Amino acid sequence: MHKVIFDTDPGVDDAMALLFLHNHPEIDLIGITTVFGNAAIETTTRNALFLKREWGIGAPVARGEGKTYNPMRNPTDWPVMIHGHDGLGNIDVPETIDLPVDPRPAHRFIIETVRANPGEVTLIAVGRMSNLAYALKEDPEIAGLVKQVIIMGGAFDVPGNITPAAEANIHGDPEAADVVMGAAWKVVVVGLDVTMKTVMTRKRLAELTTKNGKHLKLLSDISQFYIDFYGQHVKDEGMVVHDSCACIYLVAPDLFTTRPGAIRVVAGGIADGQTIQKPDARSFPPGNWDGLPSQHACIGIDAEKVMALLDETLVR
């Protein structure tokens, strides 16, 4: 069993990824930590509690700080045109959910859970890297106790999606992302190079819903607004399943091709949030990538098999 803490900003594609983690028989979801991004921290935490209640998820929810690693960064507008005003596709999520939040802030929940399960916990982070960076700042030694970190974010050999240079999750807190990429733990970055090749069509989601109406009806309702947005970006009428790809990597890494090398994140200027890898196979003069751990960037994917595994797991 893979013990997982899911660091998330629900978010439509986050919801699909959460259901995948909950349903997969080889995954033990031991915690959900919330971060700002697709909506404000109050909304993403409320949404995590809502999905926990509706899908019967046992994992505790811990709320993040709701601020960037660099406090001087100005907050950005929430992407309501993508995820809706409630963060879950404008399905009128209740204002309050009668479930408790873990008393610890998200970064401390991560620290204490990792220390209680040394070498066993995988962190899957599909929003800003803020919680992970705060955890490293408070307790740098956890880097040696985490099994691995899987990130949905970044763009290496393709353009970004929030600027030509940057992917949205990294762009939202690039200083935090740079800290996380440079820490002494194993990081796999599942970014736009591969996620843009995975599309859940409206038709496909409707067919899946007939096989598991209880859980997938809600997921389908949440996803319609997102699919409408993605109509301008994908050929088929569907949505790109960014966050699910990071979760699928955990159980099926053989469906991805990765490239090793140190990774840095640009902080500031017109390339703010850009992820740049120094491949291990290339030699360069001395520079700012030297002495950093070699991390893995996903550059290839078997999209058909990834989508088949997603289908199979969602309908369980």
Side-chain angles (χ1 to χ4, degrees):
M1 295 290 289
H2 300 278
K3 292 183 178 180
V4 170
I5 295 175
F6 189 45
D7 192 66
T8 178
D9 57 338
V12 177
D13 54 330
D14 306 69
M16 183 176 289
L18 178 60
L19 185 57
F20 177 90
L21 293 172
H22 176 55
N23 281 0
H24 198 282
E26 296 173 14
I27 293 174
D28 179 12
L29 183 61
I30 61 174
I32 301 167
T33 51
T34 63
V35 67
F36 65 98
N38 290 328
I41 190 65
E42 296 82 6
T43 302
T44 60
T45 304
R46 184 275 312 270
N47 289 350
L49 292 171
F50 172 71
L51 296 171
K52 170 185 166 75
R53 185 188 74 183
E54 294 302 301
W55 288 336
I57 297 172
V61 173
R63 171 179 160 152
E65 297 283 359
K67 60 185 180 183
T68 54
Y69 191 70
N70 176 0
M72 299 304 293
R73 276 200 173 265
N74 294 321
T76 58
D77 294 332
W78 312 121
V80 296
M81 77 296 295
I82 304 174
H83 295 272
H85 290 280
D86 64 2
L88 289 179
N90 287 339
I91 63 165
D92 295 326
V93 180
E95 286 295 323
T96 58
I97 306 298
D98 189 22
L99 288 178
V101 176
D102 192 276
R104 295 163 289 183
H107 71 279
R108 193 159 299 125
F109 176 90
I110 291 170
I111 291 168
E112 294 181 9
T113 305
V114 166
R115 284 199 166 274
N117 302 272
E120 298 182 11
V121 176
T122 294
L123 306 178
I124 300 182
V126 298
R128 276 59 168 162
M129 303 295 113
S130 315
N131 290 332
L132 275 62
Y134 281 125
L136 286 168
K137 183 178 182 179
E138 183 168 314
D139 188 354
E141 292 181 359
I142 66 165
L145 302 175
V146 169
K147 185 176 182 180
Q148 65 177 329
V149 180
I150 304 173
I151 289 168
M152 190 282 120
F156 295 91
D157 302 333
V158 299
N161 61 358
I162 191 71
T163 75
E167 180 275 330
N169 285 343
I170 305 300
H171 184 266
D173 196 345
E175 286 86 0
D178 193 51
V179 168
V180 170
M181 302 295 186
W185 51 17
K186 177 184 176 183
V187 176
V188 179
V189 185
V190 185
L192 301 183
D193 302 73
V194 295
T195 65
M196 289 301 296
K197 299 174 182 177
T198 60
V199 177
M200 175 67 75
T201 65
R202 199 188 304 270
K203 179 182 177 183
R204 187 173 192 153
L205 185 56
E207 291 171 350
L208 293 176
T209 301
T210 65
K211 301 176 182 179
N212 181 355
K214 180 180 178 182
H215 287 171
L216 285 183
K217 175 62 166 65
L218 174 59
L219 181 63
S220 177
D221 291 346
I222 289 170
S223 301
Q224 298 308 310
F225 187 88
Y226 195 64
I227 291 173
D228 290 341
F229 167 80
Y230 259 105
Q232 59 188 303
H233 298 286
V234 299
K235 288 188 294 185
D236 296 321
E237 190 179 0
M239 58 184 278
V240 178
V241 295
H242 298 290
D243 295 347
S244 293
C245 287
C247 300
I248 290 168
Y249 181 89
L250 173 67
V251 294
D254 54 304
L255 300 183
F256 298 79
T257 302
T258 64
R259 181 178 63 208
I263 297 172
R264 294 298 309 269
V265 179
V266 178
I270 62 171
D272 196 30
Q274 184 177 21
T275 48
I276 304 175
Q277 185 182 45
K278 176 185 177 183
D280 287 343
R282 290 285 306 275
S283 296
F284 295 89
N288 293 328
W289 287 259
D290 297 345
L292 295 175
S294 179
Q295 312 293 15
H296 282 77
C298 288
I299 57 171
I301 186 173
D302 188 330
E304 185 175 336
K305 289 184 179 179
V306 164
M307 292 304 299
L309 178 55
L310 179 60
D311 291 352
E312 173 189 332
T313 305
L314 291 178
V315 301
R316 284 184 64 89

